[in-house]
Amino acid sequence: MDLTWYLALSAVLFSIGVLGVLLRRNAIIVFLSIELMLNAVNLSLVGFSQGFGDVHGQILVFFVMSVAAAEAAVGLAIVIAMFRNTLTLNIDEINLFRG
Amino acid sequence: MYDFLLADTARVLPILVVAAVGIAVILLDAFRNDSPSIPWLAGAGLVAAFVLEGFKLYDPQVAFFGQVYSGGAAAFANMVVLLGALGSVVLSVPYLKRIGHNYGEVHALILFATVGMMTLASAGSLITLFVGLETMSVCLYVLTGLVREEKGANESALKYFLLGAFSTGFFLYGIALLYGATGTMLFSEMVEGLAVTERTGIFVGGVALLLIGFLFKVSAVPFHMWTPDVYQGAPTTLTGFMSTASKAAAFAALVVVLARALPVDLVAGEVQITLSVVAAVTMVVGNVIALAQTNVKRMLAYSSIAHAGYILAGLAAGTGEGYGGALFYLLAYTVMNVGAFGVLAALEWDKEQGAIQDIESLAGSGYRQPILGVTMGVFLFALTGFPPLAGFIGKYLVFAAAVDAGLTWLAVVGVLASVVSAYYYLRILVVMWMKPETDAPEAARQPFALATSTTVVLSLCALLLLILGVMPGGVIEAAQSYFDAGAIVAGR
């Protein structure tokens, strides 16, 4: 199949992720959208890698997956710590610092 | 046939040393959480790595088939990072004791973040770049939210995490597009790869997205919104760490990308225009908003945004002098900002990591703690850019490079912005030395004993700024030799 299809799907998924981050207000949904962005890029990397017949793109995909897992662990820990103190996940209500 | 493995391992030895000490600290921490030997171990590891990097300062090499640069510019940047980390480790110990969060894992996380920064600054390929950046960022998210009982710290950590991960998405997409346009992850092969595929459109898109990721990490306008909130809520000495070392590593990696991965005509064309506009806006916005701040940490956060602008002016020049000037500036900036945040940490009284501590609460503190008052004076004059301190030399180098590259307007904007910055830097000194002590709230006037380690680090930082300001010759020569025309052609 043509490389263009993979790239188009990847771009569409990435855009959905960006819109999710910008429009949704729940911290966990925002984080999910960020994961969607990372995985959309993975699709691009695999597509390019297949197109070039070169393995480096797929190596980076493995690193991205492990980094995403590490980020998920840290991110959810931060969200839990915040929920214990504020009892909200709405990022509009988190506004102690201003100016 | 595995000879190269041994030789290449020796070339990245400093990074491995820091990582090994980090693991040792984690293990020690698992058995004795409050062991006083933990910071000593961490400090010894950082010093060892610093010395090892020092030997390679004039010996640029490539390791692991071009994935990592070692020695030369990478060694210089790594030494800056290690210096920042070392200062932060020593300053953190008394500070964390006072706020009651003296955990061993803080030092382990600082060490792991340092490993990420060193990997980032030594990156020779897009894969190494990404892994280094993320190792650094994930550790910094945790350090920001260290005081997890407090709403302010939670908010800082969450904002840093969500926006940092968001920018990582763009950074990664940029990497994917660069790979798609060139068919290689190695910086040194990118220009050739682009000539084969001729996918110029994808390449430019990739460079743009990669720049967005970098500009976010160095907190340049318009990607700076997270910086004040994160710096205000994070533990103060760790704010010093993340505002200096992480910035040094990200800038060093950006310099390597500009000098070694991108085609010369692109760097001298679109990239130069973009960077110079971003630099000008960053200097002006950072300094002007800093004028209006009442919280000292928040003021220093905007000042760090402005300093990112000065360094970007050196990068916009796109010459060996500009890149070298930026590296020197990073060294000076690391020393003076670690020191300034160290003084603030020592003067902290509000039990919320300085989040609600306004500038008036420093009134008269210069007389109560003369060492803090004098060293803070040195740091603030250096941040303003007064001769004979290192901050002046750094500013001179980046602006001179910008003028040589035909960006005179940028240098003019930069100098005017520095003049504005003198107002808010010197206001801190006025409050510290010339306001009566009774202006400060009762809680701020409690006497306290200054830890010996804090005194030593702050005095050394001030002394180093003076030495670098009076005799910067050798350091400047080294920094500027890494990226002159001959060195780049040789692929080093």
Side-chain angles (χ1 to χ4, degrees):
Chain A
M1 213 160 52
D2 191 27
L3 184 61
T4 323
W5 291 100
Y6 295 106
L7 297 184
L9 177 61
S10 160
V12 168
L13 286 176
F14 190 84
S15 311
I16 294 174
V18 172
L19 288 178
V21 173
L22 297 178
L23 300 178
R24 301 301 292 266
R25 298 275 65 106
N26 182 307
I28 294 187
I29 303 283
V30 170
F31 182 50
L32 272 176
S33 306
I34 291 171
E35 292 289 308
L36 185 63
M37 289 165 67
L38 295 185
N39 284 310
V41 177
N42 279 350
L43 191 62
S44 276
L45 281 169
V46 173
F48 280 129
S49 191
Q50 181 72 12
F52 286 120
D54 174 86
V55 78
H56 283 95
Q58 299 185 37
I59 293 174
L60 181 55
V61 169
F62 278 108
F63 280 114
V64 173
M65 287 194 292
S66 46
V67 161
E71 267 188 352
V74 167
L76 292 180
I78 292 173
V79 169
I80 289 171
M82 197 198 70
F83 186 75
R84 277 188 184 147
N85 284 336
T86 57
L87 296 181
T88 179
L89 286 180
N90 188 331
I91 49 178
D92 283 340
E93 291 171 22
I94 307 170
N95 48 17
L96 287 175
F97 301 139
R98 280 167 182 279
Chain B
M1 76 185 267
Y2 290 108
D3 291 349
F4 72 89
L5 197 60
L6 214 57
D8 287 356
T9 307
R11 282 173 197 156
V12 296
L13 193 61
I15 304 181
L16 297 179
V17 166
V18 179
V21 174
I23 293 168
V25 166
I26 279 273
L27 286 176
L28 190 59
D29 173 58
F31 296 104
R32 287 201 53 196
N33 189 291
D34 55 349
S35 169
S37 56
I38 287 178
W40 285 107
L41 187 61
L46 291 169
V47 169
F50 187 83
V51 172
L52 284 172
E53 289 286 5
F55 284 119
K56 301 193 299 176
L57 212 45
Y58 297 97
D59 180 28
Q61 300 275 356
V62 182
F64 297 109
F65 307 103
Q67 298 283 339
V68 178
Y69 291 110
S70 117
F76 190 94
N78 286 348
M79 285 172 82
V80 174
V81 167
L82 288 165
L83 207 59
L86 189 62
S88 307
V89 163
V90 181
L91 290 170
S92 289
V93 179
Y95 175 73
L96 293 174
K97 263 189 199 141
R98 205 143 46 84
I99 64 170
H101 283 77
N102 190 23
Y103 309 135
E105 63 257 35
V106 175
H107 300 291
L109 282 166
I110 292 181
L111 289 170
F112 291 138
T114 310
V115 170
M117 290 166 188
M118 292 168 77
T119 313
L120 180 60
S122 329
S125 84
L126 295 171
I127 297 179
T128 327
L129 191 68
F130 178 75
V131 173
L133 188 81
E134 282 307 294
T135 312
M136 165 183 107
S137 301
V138 170
C139 293
L140 291 183
Y141 302 149
V142 184
L143 287 175
T144 309
L146 186 69
V147 188
R148 61 176 183 274
E149 304 82 22
E150 240 158 54
K151 287 183 184 174
N154 294 154
E155 176 176 336
S156 292
L158 189 76
K159 280 181 176 167
Y160 194 17
F161 169 72
L162 286 180
L163 290 171
F166 187 50
S167 80
T168 300
F170 288 100
F171 191 80
L172 190 62
Y173 206 15
I175 289 180
L177 292 184
L178 286 183
Y179 174 65
T182 59
T184 175
M185 290 281 181
L186 293 176
F187 293 159
S188 51
E189 293 174 1
M190 283 208 155
V191 178
E192 293 163 36
L194 182 64
V196 174
T197 61
E198 293 185 336
R199 292 176 181 165
T200 323
I202 296 182
F203 187 80
V204 172
V207 172
L209 287 171
L210 197 73
L211 275 183
I212 289 179
F214 269 122
L215 292 178
F216 178 91
K217 289 294 171 198
V218 302
S219 63
V221 178
F223 310 103
H224 67 291
M225 307 303 283
W226 59 277
T227 317
D229 292 356
V230 172
Y231 286 10
Q232 192 177 357
T236 307
T237 52
L238 301 175
T239 308
F241 177 57
M242 73 177 87
S243 72
T244 54
S246 77
K247 219 172 251 194
F251 266 119
L254 181 54
V255 165
V256 171
V257 169
L258 291 177
R260 290 167 175 160
L262 303 188
V264 177
D265 54 337
L266 188 68
V267 172
E270 286 88 345
V271 171
Q272 182 176 58
I273 295 169
T274 314
L275 286 183
S276 50
V277 170
V278 170
V281 176
T282 306
M283 291 185 286
V284 172
V285 170
N287 280 321
V288 169
I289 301 186
L291 291 176
Q293 299 305 317
T294 50
N295 180 293
V296 195
K297 269 173 91 180
R298 211 171 168 81
M299 182 188 288
L300 282 186
Y302 279 107
S303 117
S304 92
I305 295 173
H307 282 273
Y310 303 138
I311 300 168
L312 276 174
L315 266 59
T319 54
E321 284 78 30
Y323 297 144
L327 284 178
F328 182 88
Y329 201 112
L330 286 170
L331 172 62
Y333 172 72
T334 298
V335 176
M336 56 202 183
N337 229 28
V338 164
F341 277 107
V343 172
L344 282 188
L347 286 174
E348 197 173 299
W349 52 272
D350 66 354
K351 301 202 168 63
E352 288 192 30
Q353 301 103 52
I356 56 167
Q357 195 166 324
D358 63 2
I359 185 166
E360 294 304 323
S361 72
L362 297 176
S365 53
Y367 286 104
R368 273 182 291 131
Q369 298 284 352
I371 293 172
L372 294 183
V374 170
T375 50
M376 191 63 166
V378 174
F379 301 140
L380 291 175
F381 276 113
L383 283 164
T384 320
F386 269 97
L389 298 163
F392 166 74
I393 309 284
K395 273 199 181 119
Y396 169 76
L397 288 175
V398 290
F399 291 148
V403 170
D404 284 343
L407 298 169
T408 314
W409 64 272
L410 185 59
V412 172
V413 171
V415 172
L416 291 178
S418 323
V419 173
V420 172
S421 76
Y423 175 76
Y424 63 84
Y425 286 130
L426 300 188
R427 196 167 58 142
I428 300 180
L429 275 190
V430 169
V431 172
M432 280 179 93
W433 286 102
M434 295 173 196
K435 286 277 175 74
E437 202 178 341
T438 44
D439 283 9
E442 187 62 38
R445 281 182 273 154
Q446 303 299 326
F448 63 91
L450 195 59
T452 319
S453 55
T454 310
T455 315
V456 170
V457 170
L458 293 178
S459 316
L460 282 181
C461 282
L463 196 65
L464 191 59
L465 283 176
L466 197 61
I467 294 173
L468 278 176
V470 178
M471 299 180 291
V475 184
I476 296 177
E477 256 172 46
Q480 294 195 330
S481 69
Y482 299 134
F483 292 103
D484 59 17
I488 294 173
V489 171
R492 292 288 159 82

